[in-house]
Amino acid sequence: MSQLKKLEPTIRLSIKNPESDSGSVFGRGIADLCLGVRETGSLNAAAKGMGMAYSKAWRIIKETEAALDIQLLNRDGAHGSELTENGNRLLDAYMEIDQKMQKEAAKAYQGLLG
C-alpha cells in the first residue's frame, strides 16, 4: 500500500468550443506556448523554449484560434507577439482551473487510499 501513496494523479484539462467541428482544444501544450509568449513577447522564442519549430507553433495557434473562434495573439512581425485580452483571460482561467483540479485529485487520491 505504501507504494501506492508515492503515486499521484494527473488531470488533463482542455477547453473547447462545443460549436466547432475541429478537434483543436486549449490544453496544456497551447497553454505552455501562450505562457512562453507572455514571458518572452515572442512566439518564436516561446516555440524555441519548448523545442518546437516556429512553423509548428504558428500552425497550432492558428488552428486553436479557428476552433475556439477567438484570437489568442496579437502579432507584430519582427517586433514579436503578445496575448490578446481574451488570450490572457483564457490562459489565466485555464491555469487556475488546472491548479484546483490537480489539488483536488491529489486530495481525493490520498483520501481513497486511507
Side-chain angles (χ1 to χ4, degrees), residues 2-108:
S2 64
Q3 290 176 314
L4 292 177
K5 288 195 175 216
K6 294 178 187 176
L7 305 177
E8 60 185 38
T10 301
I11 304 295
R12 294 189 177 262
L13 173 64
S14 63
I15 298 173
K16 69 176 188 168
N17 179 354
E19 297 176 359
S20 175
D21 292 333
S22 170
S24 292
V25 297
F26 191 94
R28 173 50 45 197
I30 191 84
D32 287 344
L33 195 54
C34 287
L35 275 171
V37 170
R38 181 186 276 173
E39 292 169 0
T40 66
S42 165
L43 179 59
N44 191 27
K48 284 181 182 177
M50 294 177 67
M52 180 187 302
Y54 173 77
S55 58
K56 181 176 181 179
W58 176 254
R59 180 180 49 80
I60 290 169
I61 291 288
K62 295 302 287 175
E63 288 174 357
T64 304
E65 286 180 335
L68 298 180
D69 195 27
I70 64 166
Q71 185 176 345
L72 297 171
L73 298 182
N74 286 321
R75 300 156 198 85
D76 190 14
H79 296 87
S81 300
E82 66 181 5
L83 295 178
T84 63
E85 181 180 344
N86 281 336
N88 272 306
R89 292 180 71 200
L90 179 60
L91 178 60
D92 289 343
Y94 178 90
M95 299 300 290
E96 185 172 333
I97 294 167
D98 184 62
Q99 183 179 39
K100 287 179 181 178
M101 287 177 49
Q102 299 302 336
K103 284 181 183 177
E104 284 299 314
K107 190 166 104 177

